[in-house]
Amino acid sequence: MDFLSNAMQYLLTFFYNLTASIGFPNYGWAIILLTIVLKVALYPLTVSQVKSMKAMALVAPKLKELQEKYKNNPEKLQKEMGELYKTHKVNPLSGCWPLLVQMPFLFAIFLAIRDFKYVGEPSFLWLTNLANPDPLYILPVISAVSTYFQAKMSATPEQQEQQKIMTMLMPVFILYISLTFPSGLVLYWAVGTIVQIIQQYYVNKKTAAVQGEAS
């Protein structure tokens, strides 16, 4: 994790120097550039995860029927579930792997920005110091709202119903911790979530088009 965190700090310094080379050195823009680059680099994993979730949502009704039909016969249920996954080419674990691969990078950039040693006074827009919490609470609110919409977009209608409480609690949690976190870190989360929403919209639209052609 130290290696990845140091690498993220190196990249943050690189993007800061890049902004300096074009005439407006700013750590805020450096964080935004770093976030976008990371999101683009991890985009294939996002696509894989979304496709897996969509596939699982499609077989969910049939899976529920099997669970009801063979609730007293676990061995038969496991066999039928295996056949169902095989027929629809679905792996119930495939949605977890992309997230697991991304986790080290998420933790690394969290540590990198949290512990980053800024040169000078790192101001950005209304923020006088990216190492301190947002005094106007604008970024925490943006983070909470974007987290809510991202959660809504990433789930099917059935999943939204099942995860209704979590969909509401997660933005509240993000708002709470963002009030005390360094604003540079909250900026990363807000920008990353907004980019995720854009990517999610594109993947959902593309998936819907493919399903429409198939039907």
Side-chain angles (χ1 to χ4, degrees):
M1 192 59 67
D2 285 343
F3 170 77
L4 279 178
S5 179
N6 291 336
M8 295 302 167
Q9 290 189 346
Y10 173 82
L11 287 174
L12 181 54
T13 301
F14 168 81
F15 284 115
Y16 173 77
N17 292 334
L18 181 63
T19 63
S21 69
I22 55 180
F24 55 97
N26 190 275
Y27 281 108
W29 288 113
I31 291 173
I32 290 174
L33 290 172
L34 173 60
T35 306
I36 293 174
V37 167
L38 285 176
K39 283 295 182 180
V40 171
L42 296 174
Y43 177 68
L45 295 176
T46 300
V47 173
S48 176
Q49 186 178 355
V50 170
K51 287 183 176 180
S52 177
M53 291 175 62
K54 296 289 184 183
M56 284 299 297
L58 290 175
V59 301
K62 295 181 180 180
L63 184 61
K64 189 174 181 180
E65 290 177 8
L66 291 176
Q67 290 172 336
E68 183 65 27
K69 184 177 180 180
Y70 299 108
K71 60 183 178 181
N72 296 322
N73 191 340
E75 292 184 4
K76 181 67 173 176
L77 175 60
Q78 289 297 322
K79 182 178 179 181
E80 292 295 326
M81 286 171 58
E83 289 297 325
L84 178 66
Y85 293 143
K86 185 177 180 180
T87 300
H88 291 272
K89 298 179 180 178
V90 174
N91 185 343
L93 298 178
S94 60
C96 301
W97 292 114
L99 182 60
L100 291 176
V101 172
Q102 293 182 62
M103 288 304 292
F105 291 94
L106 295 176
F107 280 118
I109 193 171
F110 173 88
L111 296 173
I113 296 178
R114 187 195 65 179
D115 302 331
F116 191 79
K117 304 300 181 184
Y118 296 100
V119 177
E121 193 77 3
S123 60
F124 179 65
L125 299 178
W126 69 92
L127 302 166
T128 57
N129 194 327
L130 290 168
N132 298 329
D134 183 349
L136 301 180
Y137 310 127
I138 295 174
L139 278 179
V141 171
I142 293 175
S143 296
V145 172
S146 59
T147 297
Y148 172 77
F149 282 107
Q150 194 275 326
K152 293 280 286 186
M153 288 184 66
S154 63
T156 63
E158 295 80 7
Q159 291 169 334
Q160 288 179 12
E161 186 63 29
Q162 296 170 358
Q163 302 172 8
K164 186 182 296 184
I165 296 177
M166 183 58 68
T167 302
M168 297 302 297
L169 287 180
M170 189 61 179
V172 174
F173 174 72
I174 293 298
L175 175 63
Y176 174 73
I177 63 175
S178 296
L179 294 175
T180 56
F181 275 7
S183 53
L185 188 57
V186 184
L187 176 63
Y188 154 73
W189 181 268
V191 173
T193 307
I194 292 171
V195 173
Q196 182 82 13
I197 289 173
I198 296 171
Q199 292 179 336
Q200 190 81 45
Y201 173 79
Y202 177 76
V203 174
N204 286 350
K205 188 175 181 180
K206 190 174 181 180
T207 303
V210 171
Q211 291 176 348
E213 292 176 0
S215 60

